[in-house]
Amino acid sequence: APPPAKEDIPDPLEPMNRGLYAVNVGFDKVVLKPISDAMGDTGRGGFFRALGNFADNLDTPTWVANDLMQGRLLDAAQNTLRFGVNTVFGLGGILDPADDMGLYARETDFGATMYAYGVDEGWYLVLPFYGPSSTRDATGLLIDDVIDPMKLALPTSAVWLGTWAQLADQFGSR
């Protein structure tokens, strides 16, 4: 059989993308990797696992909103139930008893919602401190931030706590 046709990746922003890629690699070498290395195995469990659980729990209402917009009612129901279990029985999401019950996270975002409605992925894009994406998914990140129900329900200090928990989780995941 002939080799598959080469896919052309739409990258009209290649010079900027290469520059941002270099910034991201430098940031990883100078900041992320040393901090992650200093954390050692603790980054994969214990305190940092709890931070990751908490951050994921705060993201769950946005997943539910996107599930509903995508018409994925069963996923929306599962994520809603998961959020309730982890919030009530998981100490605000610090623990993850929903996983033990078989209620696994069904992560989604507004980029996936736009995909469900036929929006083209757009150009290849490297985001600072985030990494590779597309214009559709980068737009989705911004919209997810705007439609986040937790920002409406929680005081600003709690929203910032969630942001810091997500940042700390990234160090643990590195």
Side-chain angles (χ1 to χ4, degrees), residues 12 41 49 66 89 106 158:
D41 287 338
R49 167 75 77 198
N66 280 296
F89 301 108
R106 307 276 186 166

Side-chain angles (χ1 to χ4, degrees), residues 52-80 82-83 86 96 98-99 103-113 140-141 143-145 147-150 166 169:
N53 290 344
F54 179 70
D56 284 347
N57 199 53
L58 288 178
D59 283 341
T60 305
T62 304
W63 301 342
V64 171
N66 280 296
D67 284 333
L68 292 172
M69 288 185 276
Q70 294 169 31
R72 294 169 42 196
L73 301 180
L74 291 177
D75 286 352
Q78 181 160 330
N79 278 334
T80 300
R82 176 182 173 76
F83 178 76
N86 283 346
D96 190 1
D99 257 8
L103 294 170
Y104 302 109
R106 307 276 186 166
E107 295 183 30
T108 189
D109 57 31
F110 199 79
T113 300
L141 288 172
I143 293 172
D144 277 336
D145 191 52
I147 68 168
D148 182 358
M150 298 308 282
Q166 289 171 331
D169 180 48

Side-chain angles (χ1 to χ4, degrees), residues 156-167:
T156 304
S157 59
V159 172
W160 275 109
L161 178 62
T163 302
W164 285 108
Q166 289 171 331
L167 180 63

